[in-house]
Amino acid sequence: MVETMFKSAKERLIAFFVFLAVLAAGLYITKLSNENFLSSQRLLLSGIARSKASDIERQISHSFTSARILAYEVKRVGGVLPDFEDFAANISQSVGGITSLNLSPNGVIEQVYPRKGNEVALGINVLEHPKYREASSHAIATKSMITVGPVTLRQGGIAVIGRYPIFIEGQNGNDSFWGFSSALVKLDSLFKGSGFDKLEEEGYCFRLTREHKDTGASLEFYHSAANLEHDVITTSEIKLPSATWALTISHSAKQGILSRTIGGAVISFLVAIALAIALYLILLQPRRLKKQVVDKTKELQELAYGDPLTGLPNRRYLNEQVPLLIQNIIKCKRFGAFIYFDLDNFKSINDSIGHDVGDEVLSQVAIRLQKVMGDADKVLRLGGDEFGILLGDAGCELHVIQMADSILEVIQHTLKVGDREFRLSTSLGIVFIPLHGSNILNLMQNADVAMYQAKRKGKNRYEVFAENLRQATVELNQGRISLERAIRESEIELYYQPQFDLQSGMIVSAEVLVRWNHPKRGLLFPDRFIPMAEETGLIVALGNYVIEKTFEYQAKRIAQGLPVMRLHVNVSPLHVNDPHLLDFIKKMVHIYQVPGNLIGLEITETVLVEDLDRVVEILCAIKALGVCISIDDFGTGFSSLGQLKNLPIDILKIDRCFVKDIERDQNDRMIVEAIIAMAHKLKMEVIAEGIETVKQMEMLGGYYCDTGQGFLVSKAVQEAEFSQMTLNIQDKLIGAVDSENKGQAGEGEEKEAVSAAR
């Protein structure tokens, strides 16, 4: 049959034209495929360039922060910093990434850390040196940090320098130039830390340039061993103080293009031959070619819309593709839903253990989520620990709620990374489509509002959006702004409630409490703003403010010769898990020269629920400074005796709920007596709070409780009243006894009057 077909000149001509047409189409498709391939490579390369530029910018900015800190310290001490070496060492350890720090009074480098290896820098006058004078003069004129370099150092190597001008207020109230604080970062360590060596090993070429301020010429100061390839190349800017660098990265795509071109040509040729021989294949080839185009397009979409860590669709997919899915749900009149959530307290994993462990946690969470989803559902990773789930055909609200329960359950299952185990939780915000919105922007905003409502109610739960939640979110945001202002403008006041020795009757310590002196609402007690501070993340800033004010007052007491006593500060569980708490307390000890044993931290039992090992590590380090550690409200939380024996605890505080009925309730008496005996066996002191009667105090003293606290002696008072308070509480006790006797007599008279009336 084929032989008969080719005997005809007309058939041969048709076969020939079919061959040419198909071959041309195949080559054209190959060209399109190569263009798409180059586009994807450029997109990938652009992401790498932006990421590396951001890494360099972040590292330099982070390192240059040390120059600002050093400048603020010099300004604070009036220009004389005798402990420069220790201070600079602390900054270097805290900030990291710094090669050296120096101070240049009047422009002359006089102090440098570390000194060893940097001696040649001493004596350089940066205001006269040809390399530095113009930039230094500019920094003085603008009173802002400038970036110098990269420059070749006398001590060897190439570095970039962040120079910050220091102005000190004179007697006439005007600021006068004192000199510079400078931070130096060597490029070799900077770029190695940013992974440029690994980038080069993977076949990428790069070049770093900066613009000459005078000539405008582009100056190259760092590059890879290989020259830049021009088939796939991109450039990203690195914004630095008073300077901008350009990072150019390229990657060769020649081999990929060549192999794809050859492959495309061979395929096109074979397909053209096959079509010429068998005309019926002409009907099949367009489908096959179309499928190839679709596959290539899908491959590009996966690169553009996929999250590289989890393989889930990313935020770009959310913005560009999900709106189409939402419109389809509405058009087909299906019941859809969008669930938005993040992992509760996930930041503590990255901060305390590392981002590599955090990444593995996110990958495992993504796998779990995909297992509980249906075919019409989409799981997306929106960035960090944020996820979204689009339910394309939920059916009804009940099904959505069941799905939310499944998500909560699967997230809570114990997760293992190496030899570590984690128990996670999440807070879900749910919106229905189209009830709560018909576009992705409204749905995301409403789901976000619902999620934060779930967090406010205790986390590890879901919340369905309702209009009244939006107002609650607005009020929370306004409260956050007001509290930020209150901390900044010192509207938060410290009150002190004395704690007295139950045997000697002397005031020996005090608990520090806070009040908000609100300009419009008057004096607010902690229950009106502490929950909001924890919810908005301001609890750490508020806690640091209270700790610093406590150190400041303790230093004032020492200077005024007032009796020495320990001041106990309440610390939120979120604050205890702050990785900077230890360094902050060290800083306060150093600044105010107050011994650590004059400060106490009171924590609640809930701090022990999450990562016990990390909490113990932090508390041990704080206790090593001499700081006293107390567990507040003992007996009302979740701690076990097994945990208690391993904790670095000095004091247990018996909650007032066990003290208030101790005169009448035998169970309360037995609990209190048992807590005191147990604490003493563990070599801990005991403080009983909420003492309001002399009888309560006598009973607690009989149980050998060490210290008491309550309205019997004093409520919480302001600083001035507390500073003048008499340490001996005997007069207060005599007055309290008289008051109680009168009260009892009054009660008797009242009973007699009632009886006579009857």
Side-chain angles (χ1 to χ4, degrees):
M1 181 178 177
V2 174
E3 181 179 357
T4 303
M5 179 186 68
F6 277 101
K7 285 182 179 180
S8 169
K10 182 179 178 180
E11 298 291 338
R12 289 196 298 269
L13 186 61
I14 291 174
F16 178 73
F17 279 109
V18 167
F19 172 79
L20 292 179
V22 173
L23 181 60
L27 293 176
Y28 178 71
I29 292 172
T30 301
K31 179 176 177 292
L32 290 179
S33 176
N34 287 337
E35 290 175 354
N36 288 334
F37 174 74
L38 284 174
S39 296
S40 68
Q41 291 297 304
R42 292 190 188 98
L43 183 63
L44 178 62
L45 192 62
S46 177
I48 294 173
R50 288 196 301 270
S51 174
K52 293 301 178 183
S54 176
D55 286 347
I56 294 174
E57 188 174 314
R58 183 176 62 253
Q59 287 191 50
I60 292 179
S61 176
H62 183 65
S63 300
F64 283 0
T65 302
S66 59
R68 294 181 184 272
I69 297 172
L70 185 57
Y72 294 154
E73 180 65 11
V74 171
K75 186 173 183 179
R76 188 188 68 80
V77 300
V80 179
L81 188 60
D83 55 345
F84 168 77
E85 288 283 338
D86 294 339
F87 192 82
N90 286 335
I91 296 175
S92 296
Q93 293 174 2
S94 301
V95 176
I98 308 164
T99 302
S100 70
L101 292 168
N102 67 66
L103 286 177
S104 312
N106 296 318
V108 180
I109 299 176
E110 293 184 0
Q111 292 178 299
V112 62
Y113 173 87
R115 190 180 184 89
K116 185 176 181 181
N118 293 298
E119 298 88 344
V120 294
L122 295 173
I124 295 176
N125 189 331
V126 299
L127 291 175
E128 297 179 359
H129 196 282
K131 283 185 180 179
Y132 311 129
R133 62 189 176 194
E134 182 180 352
S136 300
S137 299
H138 177 74
I140 296 172
T142 60
K143 293 186 178 181
S144 61
M145 173 173 279
I146 53 98
T147 302
V148 180
V151 295
T152 303
L153 303 174
R154 288 186 178 182
Q155 58 268 41
I158 301 175
V160 60
I161 303 171
R163 187 156 287 142
Y164 192 81
I166 304 173
F167 292 84
I168 297 180
E169 184 176 346
Q171 295 181 352
N172 58 1
N174 296 326
D175 287 346
S176 60
F177 174 67
W178 178 89
F180 295 101
S181 66
S182 303
L184 184 145
V185 180
K186 283 194 174 181
L187 293 187
D188 287 343
S189 59
L190 172 66
F191 295 137
K192 185 175 181 181
S194 299
F196 276 82
D197 51 346
K198 294 182 179 178
L199 200 63
E200 191 169 2
E201 290 175 1
E202 294 172 0
Y204 291 89
C205 306
F206 54 84
R207 177 180 65 194
L208 276 159
T209 58
R210 66 180 178 87
E211 184 179 296
H212 193 284
K213 287 188 176 180
D214 296 330
T215 64
S218 179
L219 302 179
E220 179 180 308
F221 59 87
Y222 195 82
H223 59 82
S224 59
N227 294 327
L228 294 176
E229 298 282 349
H230 295 287
D231 45 355
V232 182
I233 188 168
T234 187
T235 299
S236 287
E237 288 188 344
I238 302 172
K239 299 289 187 179
L240 301 176
S242 73
T244 301
W245 295 355
L247 171 62
T248 303
I249 301 180
S250 70
H251 193 270
S252 176
K254 292 179 180 178
Q255 187 62 38
I257 293 294
L258 178 62
S259 60
R260 295 167 75 89
T261 301
I262 294 174
V266 170
I267 291 173
S268 300
F269 181 81
L270 294 177
V271 170
I273 289 293
L275 284 174
I277 296 173
L279 293 179
Y280 71 90
L281 293 179
I282 295 174
L283 299 174
L284 299 178
Q285 284 307 312
R287 299 179 187 178
R288 186 175 300 174
L289 295 174
K290 184 178 180 180
K291 183 178 181 301
Q292 289 179 353
V293 173
V294 169
D295 290 343
K296 297 301 180 183
T297 304
K298 184 179 179 181
E299 181 181 335
L300 294 175
Q301 287 179 337
E302 289 176 354
L303 289 173
Y305 294 136
D307 173 48
L309 176 63
T310 62
L312 297 176
N314 58 15
R315 186 171 286 273
R316 182 174 179 180
Y317 183 91
L318 174 81
N319 295 331
E320 297 182 7
Q321 299 299 316
V322 169
L324 302 177
L325 300 178
I326 293 173
Q327 293 306 313
N328 189 50
I329 291 172
I330 297 173
K331 180 180 179 181
C332 297
K333 297 183 179 181
R334 296 197 300 265
F335 184 83
F338 186 78
I339 304 176
Y340 176 58
F341 59 98
D342 61 16
L343 303 178
D344 297 329
N345 304 320
F346 177 76
K347 185 176 182 295
S348 63
I349 296 178
N350 279 339
D351 291 344
S352 61
I353 304 176
H355 287 271
D356 53 341
V357 175
D359 288 348
E360 179 59 28
V361 169
L362 292 173
S363 297
Q364 293 194 33
V365 167
I367 294 172
R368 292 183 178 187
L369 292 173
Q370 288 177 300
K371 289 182 178 179
V372 299
M373 293 300 108
D375 295 336
D377 306 331
K378 282 284 185 183
V379 185
L380 304 93
R381 184 191 175 206
L382 306 180
D385 63 325
E386 298 177 57
F387 292 87
I389 295 177
L390 178 68
L391 303 180
D393 190 8
C396 61
E397 294 184 11
L398 178 60
H399 178 76
V400 177
I401 299 305
Q402 291 173 343
M403 179 62 72
D405 288 331
S406 299
I407 295 170
L408 292 174
E409 181 181 357
V410 77
I411 293 293
Q412 288 185 81
H413 291 168
T414 302
L415 186 149
K416 296 190 68 174
V417 178
D419 57 351
R420 293 180 178 272
E421 290 188 354
F422 300 93
R423 282 186 62 84
L424 304 175
S425 66
T426 184
S427 303
L428 310 178
I430 302 174
V431 289
F432 299 134
I433 304 171
L435 177 63
H436 297 140
S438 58
N439 62 71
I440 190 61
L441 179 60
N442 289 339
L443 291 171
M444 281 290 294
Q445 289 174 341
N446 294 339
D448 186 59
V449 168
M451 181 185 73
Y452 277 98
Q453 178 67 8
K455 289 183 179 293
R456 281 196 291 271
K457 289 187 176 181
K459 302 180 180 180
N460 194 32
R461 55 179 293 132
Y462 63 82
E463 193 72 28
V464 178
F465 173 77
E467 283 299 330
N468 64 313
L469 298 183
R470 193 188 307 279
Q471 181 60 31
T473 302
V474 171
E475 292 174 356
L476 179 66
N477 187 53
Q478 292 174 342
R480 176 185 59 80
I481 295 172
S482 298
L483 185 56
E484 284 179 337
R485 187 205 65 242
I487 297 172
R488 184 173 61 251
E489 299 182 4
S490 299
E491 293 176 5
I492 305 298
E493 296 182 3
L494 270 58
Y495 280 61
Y496 305 87
Q497 185 172 29
Q499 298 169 333
F500 46 90
D501 189 298
L502 289 173
Q503 307 304 322
S504 67
M506 301 293 290
I507 295 176
V508 293
S509 56
E511 179 179 4
V512 181
L513 301 169
V514 292
R515 307 285 187 265
W516 182 355
N517 193 6
H518 198 283
K520 295 181 179 179
R521 299 164 62 190
L523 194 66
L524 301 181
F525 284 81
D527 61 332
R528 301 293 299 276
F529 60 90
I530 293 297
M532 178 185 66
E534 291 181 332
E535 190 174 343
T536 58
L538 286 176
I539 192 66
V540 173
L542 178 60
N544 286 341
Y545 172 88
V546 175
I547 291 173
E548 180 167 9
K549 288 295 182 182
T550 303
F551 270 93
E552 182 181 321
Y553 173 58
Q554 193 68 278
K556 188 186 301 183
R557 287 184 64 91
I558 294 172
Q560 294 175 352
L562 295 174
V564 175
M565 63 174 65
R566 184 185 294 130
L567 301 178
H568 295 270
V569 181
N570 290 284
V571 182
S572 163
L574 294 175
H575 200 177
V576 173
N577 284 286
D578 177 31
H580 306 296
L581 176 60
L582 176 62
D583 290 336
F584 183 78
I585 294 176
K586 288 181 180 178
K587 180 181 177 182
M588 293 300 100
V589 172
H590 174 73
I591 291 176
Y592 292 101
Q593 295 298 301
V594 171
N597 60 2
L598 295 184
I599 301 294
L601 298 185
E602 291 191 7
I603 63 174
T604 60
E605 296 178 66
T606 53
V607 78
L608 310 176
V609 175
E610 296 184 5
D611 191 342
L612 181 61
D613 293 338
R614 172 168 167 73
V615 170
V616 170
E617 181 182 349
I618 293 173
L619 294 180
C620 286
I622 293 175
K623 186 174 180 181
L625 299 174
V627 176
C628 174
I629 308 295
S630 308
I631 287 190
D632 196 11
D633 302 335
F634 183 77
T636 63
F638 307 100
S639 63
S640 67
L641 298 181
Q643 292 175 333
L644 189 64
K645 70 178 182 179
N646 297 319
L647 295 173
I649 302 300
D650 302 294
I651 298 174
L652 290 185
K653 288 192 72 175
I654 301 177
D655 187 73
R656 66 181 70 249
C657 69
F658 299 115
V659 175
K660 66 177 182 178
D661 294 325
I662 194 173
E663 300 174 56
R664 299 177 295 276
D665 193 315
Q666 176 67 21
N667 290 332
D668 281 348
R669 289 197 293 272
M670 294 174 64
I671 291 172
V672 169
E673 190 173 6
I675 291 175
I676 295 171
M678 176 197 66
H680 286 168
K681 286 289 185 181
L682 294 174
K683 301 188 184 304
M684 298 179 188
E685 296 181 19
V686 181
I687 297 178
E689 57 182 356
I691 300 177
E692 298 183 358
T693 68
V694 175
K695 182 64 176 176
Q696 290 172 350
M697 187 186 77
E698 290 175 347
M699 293 180 70
L700 289 166
Y703 297 149
Y704 300 102
C705 182
D706 302 289
T707 312
Q709 174 183 346
F711 286 177
L712 175 65
V713 171
S714 174
K715 63 179 181 179
V717 298
Q718 292 177 294
E719 177 183 316
E721 184 177 348
F722 182 70
S723 296
Q724 297 174 2
M725 189 173 288
T726 303
L727 297 187
N728 195 318
I729 66 173
Q730 295 304 320
D731 291 341
K732 293 181 179 290
L733 296 181
I734 293 172
V737 171
D738 292 341
S739 177
E740 289 181 15
N741 289 337
K742 290 180 182 179
Q744 292 171 358
E747 289 176 6
E749 293 172 0
E750 182 179 353
K751 290 177 181 178
E752 291 178 4
V754 171
S755 177
R758 289 177 179 173

